[in-house]
Amino acid sequence: MADRDEMVRRQRALAGFGEAALRSNDVQEILTEACRLVAEALNVNFAKVLELDPATNEALVRAGYGWGASVVGKVRLPLGERSSETHALNTAEPLITQDIATERRFEFPDFMREHGVVALVNVPIFVPGGEPYGLLQVDSREPRDFDEEDIAFLTTYATILGPVIDRLHKVSDLRAARDRNAMLLRELQHRVKNDLAAVQSIIRLRSKGASAEVRDELRIMSERIETLRLVQEQLYSREDVDRVALRPYVQQLLENLSALHRGAGGPVELEIDVAELDVSPRVAGAVGLILNEFTTNSFKYGFKGPGGRLTVSLAPSSDDTAALRIADNGVGFATEPSGLRRGTGMTLIEGLARQLGGQANWSSEAGVRLDVEFRLGDGEAGS
């Protein structure tokens, strides 16, 4: 019968295993710690967790304590008719071997004899649903008559191990599925980026020899495609495959547009103040297209002669909304805001604002200003 010190040691082992299981999601780390704790609780030399491999009808020494480097993760035990492990699994009961030298029912592997194992206990481990995972095995270098309290402790320990192992395997499977999906999504994003670049190349080829009006329309189309390509580039450069950092995206977009229109008039100063916001690709694409349309029309219609200034600010206005303001100090609107051609740029901006759950508000005092307050989420608010 276990004395008080032994009982305390076993309670600490159970508590220690519970803490370890909560602290880590690493299967190998948890099982190794489980072996160490159970060996110390029972004052035995060795402990190991055997994992079944139904495909080969073997049990892998998945984790262990006290064994040499050639055992854990390498040794496989055949689950034949004369295997003590097979007997324990078939009966679903702990199996005690007091002395392997006098045991005639079973055959024992050489590595156990080489390590001086004399006595052992096999305890089956079952995961939720009743499927066997493997065995918890403790081994002693001395003959030992494991008593009922020893077996009760080991049974409790194995009963706790089963659900923990099941949870850890599910976590591992989910992580593997997540990583694979992330890899596939990155591959898709890369292909989309390449496809958009290919379309831009086709547009450039089509522009050669086209009329001035056609070239102008193709350039506008190419700029819109570039806006979407930059979204894919931002996604591909981040670990978070479904969020776009607005600040670098807006900065790069506006600098590209400024460089593209450089030489069409006087110098244009950019003032950009964008908060650190991560949004979905859909929101980033809509914001980018709004910026593209406004900026293109500012360069084309608003700035005359000496150039001017374009300011962009974007910041949260509440927990789930943000405020976008774009303004130039150009010539402004005439009687009608015709500087942004109603049939194209202005109409597109207003449609994009509605897609974002907002509304485009125009003003023209010293130039043209656009204000859009939009939702940061992905929900679309009508048309």
Side-chain angles (χ1 to χ4, degrees):
M1 178 179 293
D3 60 25
R4 183 180 181 280
D5 289 342
E6 289 175 330
M7 295 297 294
V8 169
R9 197 162 57 239
R10 294 173 189 184
Q11 291 298 321
R12 286 177 178 169
L14 291 172
F17 176 69
E19 290 176 5
L22 291 173
R23 188 173 58 243
S24 173
N25 285 326
D26 187 304
V27 176
Q28 191 63 39
E29 179 182 335
I30 293 297
L31 293 183
T32 300
E33 181 67 359
C35 291
R36 183 188 71 81
L37 289 169
V38 76
E40 292 182 354
L42 287 180
N43 194 27
V44 294
N45 307 100
F46 309 100
K48 55 184 175 290
V49 171
L50 304 176
E51 182 180 64
L52 298 183
D53 184 352
T56 61
N57 197 35
E58 294 175 326
L60 170 69
V61 181
R62 178 62 188 272
Y65 171 79
W67 302 100
S70 62
V71 176
V72 175
K74 298 174 183 177
V75 169
R76 290 178 171 269
L77 307 182
L79 296 177
E81 292 182 359
R82 300 200 63 194
S83 160
S84 63
E85 293 80 18
T86 300
H87 188 279
L89 288 168
N90 288 342
T91 61
E93 296 287 344
L95 177 65
I96 302 171
T97 300
Q98 296 181 12
D99 188 344
I100 64 175
T102 59
E103 175 61 70
R104 298 291 178 257
R105 293 175 299 169
F106 309 117
E107 295 176 348
F108 299 94
D110 291 339
F111 83 93
M112 292 175 69
R113 297 182 187 277
E114 291 167 0
H115 280 76
V117 171
V118 174
L120 66 137
V121 181
N122 282 294
V123 184
I125 301 171
F126 295 93
V127 296
E131 288 295 315
Y133 165 80
L135 300 114
L136 171 64
Q137 195 174 85
V138 295
D139 310 84
S140 172
R141 283 189 171 133
E142 299 175 357
R144 177 160 173 175
D145 183 12
F146 293 93
D147 60 27
E148 291 184 3
E149 291 184 357
D150 294 333
I151 300 305
F153 167 70
L154 288 170
T155 301
T156 300
Y157 206 82
T159 301
I160 296 172
L161 265 176
V164 171
I165 291 170
D166 185 59
R167 178 184 68 82
L168 294 173
H169 279 177
K170 287 177 179 176
V171 168
S172 178
D173 291 344
L174 288 171
R175 186 181 292 120
R178 180 202 63 192
D179 292 345
R180 174 168 172 75
N181 287 340
M183 181 190 68
L184 293 174
L185 184 55
R186 285 190 179 280
E187 183 178 329
L188 177 61
Q189 289 165 354
H190 185 63
R191 290 181 180 179
V192 169
K193 186 178 73 169
N194 289 344
D195 289 344
L196 290 173
V199 172
Q200 286 181 297
S201 297
I202 293 171
I203 290 174
R204 283 194 291 269
L205 289 172
R206 177 69 180 85
S207 297
K208 294 180 179 179
S211 66
E213 183 179 359
V214 171
R215 284 200 305 273
D216 191 44
E217 291 299 324
L218 289 174
R219 179 187 58 76
I220 292 172
M221 186 182 302
S222 180
E223 289 175 6
R224 291 170 181 167
I225 292 172
E226 174 66 8
T227 299
L228 300 176
R229 189 193 69 80
L230 286 177
V231 172
Q232 298 301 318
E233 189 172 279
Q234 287 291 326
L235 286 171
Y236 195 69
S237 66
R238 287 166 56 95
E239 291 185 3
D240 192 347
V241 295
D242 62 351
R243 307 298 286 175
V244 175
L246 271 183
R247 186 174 182 178
Y249 169 62
V250 170
Q251 184 83 30
Q252 184 178 357
L253 174 62
L254 292 173
E255 289 175 355
N256 287 0
L257 288 170
S258 179
L260 183 66
H261 291 279
R262 189 174 295 130
V268 174
E269 178 186 359
L270 292 178
E271 293 184 0
I272 304 171
D273 182 14
V274 178
E276 298 285 356
L277 290 173
D278 288 352
V279 298
S280 71
R282 191 190 72 82
V283 171
V287 169
L289 287 171
I290 290 173
L291 287 165
N292 175 76
E293 295 303 312
F294 190 102
T295 302
T296 298
N297 279 278
S298 291
F299 277 101
K300 188 172 183 180
Y301 301 110
F303 300 129
K304 304 294 184 180
R309 183 176 66 256
L310 180 74
T311 63
V312 175
S313 65
L314 200 164
S317 52
S318 70
D319 288 342
D320 60 353
T321 61
L324 170 66
R325 173 171 291 180
I326 320 170
D328 67 36
N329 65 344
V331 299
F333 291 145
T335 305
E336 290 287 330
S338 55
L340 291 167
R341 294 175 298 166
R342 171 63 68 177
T344 54
M346 192 170 188
T347 302
L348 179 57
I349 286 174
E350 291 172 349
L352 290 165
R354 288 194 296 272
Q355 286 182 21
L356 290 171
Q359 182 176 353
N361 296 305
W362 303 95
S363 62
S364 180
E365 296 175 1
V368 177
R369 192 179 84 189
L370 168 67
D371 288 284
V372 180
E373 186 169 11
F374 62 92
R375 293 205 306 272
L376 290 171
D378 283 341
E380 189 169 334
S383 58

